[in-house]
Amino acid sequence: MKKIKVCRICGAVMSGEEDFCTDCGAILPKETLFDLYKTMHFYCPACSTVLADTASFCPQCGKRLRYR
């Protein structure tokens, strides 16, 4: 998910490195699926692990989290 983009025109799945869809030629979004997912969920600012809204510490890196 961190390295995948989806074409908004035809729905083709592309590598995060691509700028254009190889199926239809449309310009791909700059954001990967993970970038979009992070805009909808709480995540660790240190390691980007997606967290439960009630987390006080990141289970991946141990960083103490501030409440929103």
Side-chain angles (χ1 to χ4, degrees), residues 3-65:
K3 296 181 181 180
I4 295 175
K5 293 181 181 178
V6 176
C7 177
R8 293 178 180 152
I9 304 301
C10 70
V13 177
M14 302 286 139
S15 163
E17 315 291 313
E18 300 290 334
D19 292 324
F20 297 93
C21 177
T22 57
D23 287 358
C24 72
I27 297 172
L28 293 173
K30 294 183 190 275
E31 305 86 12
T32 64
L33 284 180
F34 187 65
D35 295 332
L36 295 173
Y37 188 78
K38 286 188 340 183
T39 64
M40 297 182 278
H41 299 280
F42 184 48
Y43 66 95
C44 176
C47 70
S48 295
T49 298
V50 177
L51 307 166
D53 289 337
T54 58
S56 296
F57 293 89
C58 175
Q60 183 68 30
C61 71
K63 180 169 178 65
R64 182 177 175 90
L65 305 168

